[in-house]
Amino acid sequence: MAQAAASTCEICTAGPGEHYCQQCDQLFCGSCKLSHLRTKISKNHTFLSGPSINKEEKLFCTEHEEMFLFYCDDCDTPVCRICSVEKHSRHLMTDLTKSAEKLRFEVVKNIEAKVTTSKVNLSKIEKETKTYRDEVKAVIKTITEEGNYWKNLIDKKVGSFVRLLHDEEQKTIQNITALTKVYRRDIENCQQWEKKIKEMETMADVLLFERLKKLKVDVDNIDLKPVPEGSYVSYRNKKPSGTEIDSLFGEMQFKPKKSQKRYKYTCKRLWE
């Protein structure tokens, strides 16, 4: 049966019995527990503590109904006083309390070692993660700089094409404008001569003939040049393939622990 939380100390019968001595099968208060552990004969006794303690949870030898006192290393089992003589007389035996304390020490040391190793591994992971993220930033910066380099070259090339087109356009338009003025001037002269001829309709034939003869000389002096071929401009664009674009860049490397993946990345300066 579980001992009630209100159980009293079985030694002083005054304080609360919150500590159970497994060797003595008794409830102790905090003060009596300390006194018990100071006594030479019971200094290695073990306690169960808590507001609710089950005294029946202590393990006894089912065959002899005695408390386990020893630990048989050969059989890897706790044994009572009688079993140690009857069944384990020639086996390697150790005190159960000392064996438990030794095992506790080994487990604690093992846990502490694992905690230390885990902290070292965690620190290594954090350091490697920071290094990796810094490398990613550096690679992104390099790729961005290379991309900007190619963008600037492309912008310069586009600018040179556009300037060339504007220069050629200006020259062509100037020539067209000059030729247009010539033809407009010839049209104006012809229109004036037509007007004069109309005004000569009332003249005498002799005078008309003389005037027309002079006018014919002016008309014949006009040299109507043929219109030149129209200006022509075109541009044939090239669409580079993915392979051609990849050839501008170098090789990016990912390095896991056991394998390595490679991706093309670099930038080759064609106009250096």
Side-chain angles (χ1 to χ4, degrees):
M1 295 291 291
Q3 194 73 19
S7 297
T8 57
C9 175
E10 298 179 24
I11 307 301
C12 67
T13 67
E18 296 178 342
H19 307 280
Y20 172 68
C21 178
Q22 293 179 290
Q23 285 75 25
C24 298
D25 191 20
Q26 287 181 305
L27 291 173
F28 288 72
C29 64
S31 178
C32 291
K33 172 188 173 183
L34 292 176
S35 299
H36 191 60
L37 291 175
R38 289 193 187 103
T39 304
K40 185 175 181 180
I41 195 172
S42 58
K43 66 178 181 178
N44 293 323
H45 286 195
T46 56
F47 282 84
L48 297 176
S49 301
S52 179
I53 301 170
N54 188 354
K55 294 173 64 176
E56 295 181 358
E57 286 181 352
K58 183 175 68 172
L59 298 179
F60 288 86
C61 175
T62 56
E63 183 178 353
H64 305 108
E65 295 186 355
E66 284 204 6
M67 182 187 302
F68 291 123
L69 296 177
F70 308 102
Y71 185 81
C72 178
D73 291 327
D74 294 342
C75 300
D76 191 22
T77 183
V79 295
C80 68
R81 178 181 54 81
I82 299 176
C83 286
S84 67
V85 176
E86 293 182 351
K87 299 180 180 180
H88 304 270
S89 59
R90 296 189 178 184
H91 291 185
L92 178 62
M93 308 284 290
T94 56
D95 179 78
L96 183 59
T97 301
K98 292 181 179 180
S99 296
E101 182 62 24
K102 179 182 177 182
L103 181 60
R104 185 191 70 82
F105 178 78
E106 292 175 355
V107 172
V108 169
K109 293 296 289 184
N110 192 12
I111 292 174
E112 290 175 349
K114 291 184 182 301
V115 169
T116 300
T117 302
S118 297
K119 287 182 178 180
V120 171
N121 290 338
L122 182 59
S123 177
K124 182 180 178 182
I125 290 172
E126 291 174 349
K127 182 178 180 180
E128 290 181 350
T129 299
K130 182 180 182 304
T131 301
Y132 173 73
R133 299 192 71 174
D134 290 341
E135 289 174 351
V136 170
K137 289 180 181 178
V139 171
I140 290 175
K141 183 175 180 293
T142 301
I143 294 173
T144 303
E145 289 175 350
E146 297 294 347
N148 289 334
Y149 170 79
W150 288 116
K151 287 178 184 178
N152 290 334
L153 288 181
I154 291 171
D155 289 342
K156 288 180 181 178
K157 193 64 178 177
V158 170
S160 67
F161 276 145
V162 172
R163 284 191 298 273
L164 178 61
L165 279 170
H166 283 322
D167 292 342
E168 290 298 319
E169 179 189 26
Q170 186 176 8
K171 293 177 183 178
T172 301
I173 294 301
Q174 286 177 350
N175 293 334
I176 292 173
T177 301
L179 190 59
T180 299
K181 288 180 179 180
V182 171
Y183 285 121
R184 288 187 185 280
R185 186 175 64 249
D186 290 342
I187 291 173
E188 290 176 357
N189 290 334
C190 290
Q191 287 176 342
Q192 290 178 0
W193 290 332
E194 287 177 341
K195 184 178 180 182
K196 287 182 179 181
I197 292 173
K198 194 169 186 63
E199 293 174 350
M200 293 178 188
E201 290 179 355
T202 58
M203 291 183 177
D205 291 338
V206 176
L207 185 58
L208 176 61
F209 183 80
E210 292 295 332
R211 295 282 181 89
L212 290 175
K213 190 176 180 180
K214 292 181 180 180
L215 185 59
K216 182 178 180 301
V217 174
D218 293 335
V219 173
D220 289 343
N221 287 333
I222 295 179
D223 184 16
L224 295 178
K225 297 179 180 180
V227 178
E229 291 290 334
S231 298
Y232 173 81
V233 62
S234 68
Y235 178 78
R236 185 177 65 181
N237 63 330
K238 286 198 311 182
K239 294 181 179 179
S241 65
T243 304
E244 290 175 319
I245 293 175
D246 287 343
S247 67
L248 302 177
F249 295 88
E251 194 173 82
M252 183 161 54
Q253 298 180 351
F254 294 98
K255 297 180 179 178
K257 295 298 182 183
K258 295 184 179 180
S259 63
Q260 179 170 304
K261 297 180 181 179
R262 294 188 176 184
Y263 297 87
K264 293 231 42 179
Y265 158 65
T266 334
C267 191
K268 296 178 182 176
R269 300 199 182 342
L270 300 180
W271 291 283
E272 286 184 347

